[in-house]
Amino acid sequence: MAATSARDLARPPQVEGALADSAASASQRRRRCGKTSASPVLGSASRASLFLLLVVLLASSLQAVDGKKKGNAKRRKGNEGQSGQRCVICQAIAFESRRAWELARTTKSGSPYNYIDNGPMGKSVEDLVSASVQKSVCNRGYLGKLPNPKGYAKHMPTVEYDCNNVLEEHGPTLLDALTLGDEIASYCWEADICGDGDELAFDLKEKKPDSEL
């Protein structure tokens, strides 16, 4: 111990200063290492928090846009025409066309339907049905009694015009559907005459013959 103390006392001041500087440098390096090792952890946490915040904001924005789209969605309107009655008129024409078609098809004698495969028969079934519907539906007496669910004021010349127009534009297609045995209850909606807010005013559902009941 005495020898060691003697050696320590024998160190020059320059050596003591160098040792002190070395110890200070080591201490600084330790502090820097400590800060450097902590910063990646803190940086990762900050990036994760920022990413989570962006995800939440994006989800909120998408939800707001989706809600706005749903709020702005409009119901499909049909073509009501000048009279506002085209939907009901179309249903009436479909209803009377089916009734006239079934009558022509089931009549045992005197019906041109029975002579389709047996030579000339004068007017076709389609022409006879169209004429029957024109006469039975597109007249002021019948049109004046049509349902009026939206409460429009009826101007009969305009209602009569719309009836003739619907029959002219859609009568052949309706007759084709009846000829093929297609269901016609939704025809007026598929033809964009009736809209989402319109209801079925006539019983247009297919009825089975008595023999099938």
Side-chain angles (χ1 to χ4, degrees):
M1 292 295 291
T4 302
S5 298
R7 283 196 300 270
D8 292 338
L9 293 174
R11 289 175 181 170
Q14 295 85 353
V15 175
E16 292 292 338
L19 290 175
D21 292 341
S22 178
S25 298
S27 177
Q28 290 178 357
R29 284 197 299 273
R30 283 195 297 274
R31 286 197 295 271
R32 284 199 299 271
C33 289
K35 291 181 180 179
T36 304
S37 60
S39 60
V41 176
L42 294 175
S44 299
S46 300
R47 286 194 296 270
S49 300
L50 180 61
F51 177 75
L52 181 60
L53 178 61
L54 290 175
V55 169
V56 172
L57 291 175
L58 180 60
S60 300
S61 300
L62 292 176
Q63 186 175 7
V65 171
D66 187 55
K68 186 176 180 180
K69 287 182 178 179
K70 289 181 179 179
N72 292 337
K74 295 182 179 179
R75 302 182 72 183
R76 183 178 60 86
K77 290 186 64 176
N79 180 8
E80 297 180 339
Q82 295 296 321
S83 66
Q85 297 284 299
R86 279 173 64 93
C87 177
V88 176
I89 289 171
C90 177
Q91 294 183 59
I93 290 174
F95 178 79
E96 295 296 340
S97 294
R98 188 182 67 183
R99 187 164 68 173
W101 177 263
E102 290 175 350
L103 179 63
R105 186 180 61 178
T106 56
T107 300
K108 294 184 178 179
S109 61
S111 171
Y113 184 86
N114 297 297
Y115 302 105
I116 290 178
D117 297 324
N118 295 306
M121 60 177 184
K123 289 186 176 181
S124 66
V125 178
E126 289 80 4
D127 290 338
L128 290 174
V129 171
S130 180
S132 174
V133 173
Q134 175 79 39
K135 182 178 179 180
S136 63
V137 177
C138 294
N139 66 79
R140 296 190 182 186
Y142 186 95
L143 294 173
K145 298 176 182 178
L146 283 179
N148 188 9
K150 296 183 180 179
Y152 290 120
K154 288 186 179 181
H155 181 252
M156 294 314 300
T158 306
V159 177
E160 192 172 7
Y161 170 82
D162 275 345
C163 183
N164 291 323
N165 180 256
V166 172
L167 183 60
E168 180 181 354
E169 291 184 354
H170 299 277
T173 308
L174 272 169
L175 289 174
D176 287 344
L178 289 168
T179 303
L180 296 173
D182 293 341
E183 186 268 333
I184 62 171
S186 60
Y187 174 82
C188 298
W189 280 264
E190 293 172 355
D192 290 329
I193 298 174
C194 296
D196 293 338
D198 293 306
E199 297 180 356
L200 199 64
F202 288 81
D203 184 10
L204 295 174
K205 295 182 179 179
E206 190 70 24
K207 294 181 180 179
K208 294 183 179 180
D210 294 340
S211 59
E212 296 184 15
L213 296 177

